[in-house]
Amino acid sequence: METNWKLSWQQARNHEGVTRGARAFLALAAVLAWGWWSGWQAQLMPVLLGVIASALTETDDSWRGRLRAQGLALVCFSFMAWAVWATMASPWLLVAVLAVSAFAITMLGALSERYRAIAFGSLVLFIYAGLATHSSRDAAQQSLPLMLAGAVWYGVVSVGWTAALPRAPVRDRLAKLYALLGEYLRLKALLLEPVRDVDLERRRMALALHNGRVVDALNATKESLISRMGRGTPPLWLRTAMHQYLAAQDVHERVSSSHEHYDLLAQAFFHSDVLYRCQRVLTLLGEQALKLSQAIGTQSEPQHWGATARAIEDMQAAMAHLAATEDGAAPQAVQGRALRSLQALGDNLTALASVFAGALALPPHAPADSPDCTLLDREPRSLADAWGRVRAHARLASPWLRHSLRLSVSLVAGFCVMQATADPRGFWILLTIVFVSQPHYAATQARLMQRAKGTALGLALGWAVIQLLPDARVQATLLVLGGAVFFGARHTRYTLATAAVTTLLLLSFHQLGTTSGVISARLFDTVVGCLIAAVASWTVLPYWQSRHWPQLAAQVLQTQAVYLREILAQYQGGKCDHLAYRLARRNAHNADAALSNAYSAMLQEPARVRDHVDVAARFLCLSHTQLNYLSALGAQRGGAAARPMDEGTQALAQTLLVSLQQLAGELERIQRVPASRRRRAAAHAAPAVAELAREWGTAAPQAAGPHSLMAAQLQLVGKVFPQLQDQARQLAQP
C-alpha cells in the first residue's frame, strides 16, 4: 500500500496539470494572504485578475524562455491596459481598439504555441481591465497598476518554479508519448487477427486517427526538449530524455510499418498460428510501452518478466517451421511473397523489442551538436522571420486570418449587445467569446457547450458554498483551490475548469460584498456570448474542412515524396538517422496527422458542408497505408534485408517519386479552382492519371524480378497509388 502511494505521488508530482495547478495555488494563496494581512481585501480582485491573465500566457518552456515570454506578455499587457485607460471615455472607440487589437494579436498567434498563449492572455486582460475600470477613471488608475502587479507576481512564481523544477514537464510528456505508443501497438495488433469477415477498414481508420494523437505527442515532446537545450553539454537527465524521445521516433516508424496487405497474410496463413504469435508480440510490446510510460512518470524502473523475449522466440520458431515446410513444397508466387513479408514482419518486431531495450539503457556519450541528437527548432529566429510567417497567413484561405476576423466581428457584436442591454457586467459576454472561439467550427461548438455547462455547474456550486460555508476563511481557501483546479484542468477537462473558475469568481464577489445580481448576470452573459460565438462560427468566414481537403491531401503526397527521397538516399549511402532524414519522416507523419485531424473535425461539421466524406475517408485510409509501406522501407534501412537497388527497382522508385509530386500538383491546382469549375479541372487531370497508370504497368514488371524487400515494398505502394488517383479524381468533382 505504501509503495503504491509513493508511486502515485511521484506520478502526480510530474503531471503537467498538477504542476500548473500547484503554481496557481501558490500565486493565488500568496495574494490572498497578503490581502488579509494588509487589510486590502477591496483591492484583491484586480490583482487576482492579473494573476489569472498572466497564468493564461504560460506554456511549457525553460526558465529562460519563460522569462522572455513573460517580458513580452508584460509589454502586451501594458499596451492593453493603456488602451483601455485611454479609450474608456468613448465606448465605441474602446470597441474599435478591441477589434483591431484582437485581429492583430490573434494573427501573432500563428507563429507558435508560445505566441498564441500570449495573444490569448492579452485579450483576456483587455477585457478584465474593461470590467474592472468601466465605472470611472479613478477606478482605472487604482485597478490597472494592481492588475499589472498581479501579472508580474505570477511571472516571478512561474519563472522561479521552472528554474527550480525543470524536469517534470519533460517527463510528463514523455510518459504520455509512450502511453499513446502503447495504445498504437494494441490497435496495430488488431490488424493481424486472421479472422474471416473482419472489418479491416474500420480498424485501419481507428489506427490512422490515433496516429494523429501520437504525432501530436511527438511534436509536444520535441518542443519541450528543444526549449531546455542550452549551448553547453546537457545534463544527464536531459540526455536521457532525448535518448528516449529518439527511441520513441524509431518505435513509431517501425510500428507504423506494413510489409503486406493484411488480407493477403490472413488468407495465406489462415491455417497457421503464426499471425496470432505476431499479434501476441505486438500486444506484449504495447504493454511494455505502457510500463515504460509509468516508469518515466514515477521515476522508477519498469518491471519485465521475460514474456516478450519468449514470445519472440516462439514467433521466430513458427516462421522457421513455415519456411522449411514451404521450401519442401515448392511454394506458389503469392505464398512465397506472403512468406517473405511475414519474415520481414518478424524481423521488424524483433528489432522493435531491441529499440525498447535500448530506450532503458543510459544514453551514449556523444557531443550535444552531433547529428544524432539535433532537433529542428521551429520558433522564429528573428523579427524578419516572424513577420514573414505572419504575412504568409495574410490570405483568405488561411484559418488564422479567418479566425482573427471572426473573433473581431464577434467581439464587436458582443459589445453592441452589452451597450443595448446597459449591462454593467457585460464584459463577461466578451470574455465568453474569447474563451470559446476557436479556429475551427467543430472545436468552437465543443468548447461553447463545455463553457455553458461548466458555468451553470460553477454557479450552483458557488451558491451552495456561500450558503453552507459562510466563514470567510473557508471561502478564501476554496477560492484558491478553484483557481488551482481551473489551471490544472483547462487543457484536458474544460467543463470542470469552467466550473472551478466560475466558483472562484462568485466567491471573490462575495468576499467584496457585491454578490447581488452576479449569478443571473453571469448566466445571461455566458449564454449570450456562446450564442454569438456559435452564430459567428457558422456565418463569418467558416473554415469548412472539406473545402480545404485537396490542399491537405496534396501536402500528404508531397511530404511522402520527400520521405521516399530520403529513404532512397539512405539505401545508397548507408543508414544514418541524421536531421534531414528525421525531419522528412516527421513532416510526412505531421501531414498524415493533419489529414486525420481534419477528417475528425469534418465529421462534426453540418451535413450540408460535408462534401465527399466517403472519398475523404478512403483517401485517408489509403494515404495512411501508403505511408505505412514507406515506413517499412525506412525501418529496414541497413538491415540484412536491405540490398542494393537494381535498375528495375530504381526505375520504379523514380516513377513513384514523380507520380507523387505530379498528383500533389494536380490536387493543389484543384484547390485553387472554384467548386463550380472543378469538373473542368478534373477533365484536365484525367490524361495525366492515365499516363501515370501506363508508367506503373511498364515499371512494375521490371522491378518484380529480384526478390528484394525494397522492390516488394515499392510494388505495394504502386498498388495503392492508382487508388489514390481515383479518389483525387472524385475530389475534383463539384
Side-chain angles (χ1 to χ4, degrees), residues 72 76 103-112 115-116 118-119 390 404:
L72 179 58
C76 294
F103 175 81
I105 207 165
T106 304
M107 286 296 293
L108 182 67
L111 294 176
S112 68
Y115 295 96
R116 284 194 292 273
I118 293 174
V390 172
S404 301

Side-chain angles (χ1 to χ4, degrees), residues 267-504:
Q267 294 172 9
F269 305 112
F270 184 78
H271 299 288
S272 171
D273 67 345
V274 66
L275 286 182
Y276 280 114
R277 295 189 182 277
C278 294
Q279 187 182 48
R280 173 171 166 75
V281 171
L282 266 175
T283 303
L284 289 174
L285 288 173
E287 295 176 0
Q288 191 168 341
L290 291 176
K291 291 176 182 177
L292 182 56
S293 168
Q294 295 171 359
I296 293 173
T298 59
Q299 303 175 48
S300 60
E301 290 291 332
Q303 298 179 0
H304 301 292
W305 295 277
T308 305
R310 289 192 295 271
I312 290 176
E313 291 176 1
D314 294 343
M315 177 191 68
Q316 296 288 5
M319 290 182 180
H321 176 74
L322 272 177
T325 304
E326 296 294 343
D327 287 342
Q332 299 177 355
V334 175
Q335 192 74 11
R337 190 183 78 185
L339 183 58
R340 288 192 298 273
S341 299
L342 182 67
Q343 290 171 340
L345 172 62
D347 293 340
N348 191 36
L349 293 179
T350 305
L352 188 58
S354 300
V355 174
F356 274 112
L360 299 176
L362 290 177
H365 293 282
D369 58 348
S370 66
D372 290 342
C373 60
T374 302
L375 298 177
L376 179 65
D377 189 359
R378 298 183 184 271
E379 289 287 325
R381 300 179 181 275
S382 63
L383 289 176
D385 185 17
W387 170 245
R389 296 189 190 190
V390 172
R391 190 173 56 184
H393 286 275
R395 51 191 178 85
L396 202 56
S398 169
W400 278 107
L401 180 67
R402 289 170 174 253
H403 175 54
S404 301
L405 291 171
R406 190 184 312 120
L407 181 60
S408 298
V409 171
S410 301
L411 290 173
V412 172
F415 191 85
C416 292
V417 173
M418 185 182 75
Q419 292 295 310
T421 57
D423 186 357
R425 298 189 178 95
F427 281 93
W428 284 342
I429 298 175
L430 308 183
L431 197 64
T432 300
I433 292 172
V434 169
F435 269 95
V436 303
S437 296
Q438 303 295 316
H440 302 300
Y441 172 86
T444 300
Q445 297 300 312
R447 182 57 63 88
L448 65 89
M449 292 301 297
Q450 294 168 348
R451 182 81 179 181
K453 291 189 293 185
T455 298
L457 180 61
L459 290 174
L461 181 61
W463 178 84
V465 169
I466 292 173
Q467 299 300 318
L468 300 176
L469 302 171
D471 186 83
R473 289 181 176 83
V474 174
Q475 292 183 9
T477 302
L478 293 177
L479 185 152
V480 174
L481 286 175
V485 172
F486 169 69
F487 286 105
R490 73 185 187 93
H491 290 297
T492 54
R493 303 178 64 183
Y494 190 72
T495 300
L496 174 63
T498 303
V501 77
T502 303
T503 303
L504 178 153

Side-chain angles (χ1 to χ4, degrees), residues 100-248:
V100 173
S101 300
F103 175 81
I105 207 165
T106 304
M107 286 296 293
L108 182 67
L111 294 176
S112 68
E113 181 186 2
R114 175 188 295 172
Y115 295 96
R116 284 194 292 273
I118 293 174
F120 180 69
S122 300
L123 278 178
V124 169
L125 186 126
F126 190 106
I127 297 171
Y128 281 164
L131 180 65
T133 63
H134 69 278
S135 57
S136 64
R137 281 189 173 269
D138 292 337
Q141 290 176 353
Q142 294 177 4
S143 299
L144 294 180
L146 291 175
M147 205 171 289
L148 293 177
V152 171
W153 163 240
Y154 186 83
V156 171
V157 172
S158 178
V159 173
W161 186 292
T162 307
L165 301 170
R167 307 182 187 186
V170 177
R171 286 173 176 160
D172 182 62
R173 295 198 173 190
L174 270 175
K176 290 178 181 177
L177 171 58
Y178 274 96
L180 288 170
L181 282 174
E183 177 64 12
Y184 191 89
L185 282 157
R186 187 190 69 82
L187 293 173
K188 186 78 171 186
L190 294 177
L191 295 178
L192 291 176
E193 193 171 18
V195 179
R196 291 189 179 97
D197 300 328
V198 66
D199 192 352
L200 275 181
E201 291 305 314
R202 175 173 293 183
R203 294 184 179 184
R204 281 189 177 278
M205 178 60 72
L207 192 69
L209 295 177
H210 186 74
N211 183 64
R213 292 186 281 273
V214 174
V215 172
D216 290 341
L218 281 166
N219 291 334
T221 306
K222 186 200 73 171
E223 296 301 326
S224 186
L225 289 168
I226 285 178
S227 66
R228 288 161 177 82
M229 297 293 290
R231 296 182 179 179
T233 302
L236 178 60
W237 73 267
L238 189 55
R239 286 192 287 117
T240 301
M242 177 71 73
H243 177 65
Q244 292 170 344
Y245 168 73
L246 294 177

Side-chain angles (χ1 to χ4, degrees), residues 5-129:
W5 182 86
K6 288 182 178 179
L7 291 177
S8 299
W9 163 245
Q10 290 283 356
Q11 194 167 10
R13 193 178 67 176
N14 291 320
H15 194 277
E16 192 172 4
V18 174
T19 55
R20 268 198 307 265
R23 284 194 295 273
F25 181 88
L26 175 61
L28 293 172
V31 169
L32 206 62
W34 169 77
W36 280 87
W37 176 75
S38 62
W40 284 15
Q41 289 92 335
Q43 285 76 26
L44 280 181
M45 180 63 80
V47 181
L48 292 175
L49 294 179
V51 168
I52 292 173
S54 181
L56 291 174
T57 67
E58 189 176 44
T59 57
D60 178 40
D61 214 334
S62 65
W63 72 267
R64 294 183 183 87
R66 180 57 188 150
L67 184 61
R68 290 192 295 268
Q70 182 66 21
L72 179 58
L74 288 176
V75 170
C76 294
F77 283 5
S78 300
F79 173 78
M80 292 296 189
W82 175 84
V84 171
W85 182 85
T87 59
M88 61 181 301
S90 174
W92 298 110
L93 183 59
L94 175 66
V95 72
V97 172
L98 174 61
V100 173
S101 300
F103 175 81
I105 207 165
T106 304
M107 286 296 293
L108 182 67
L111 294 176
S112 68
E113 181 186 2
R114 175 188 295 172
Y115 295 96
R116 284 194 292 273
I118 293 174
F120 180 69
S122 300
L123 278 178
V124 169
L125 186 126
F126 190 106
I127 297 171
Y128 281 164

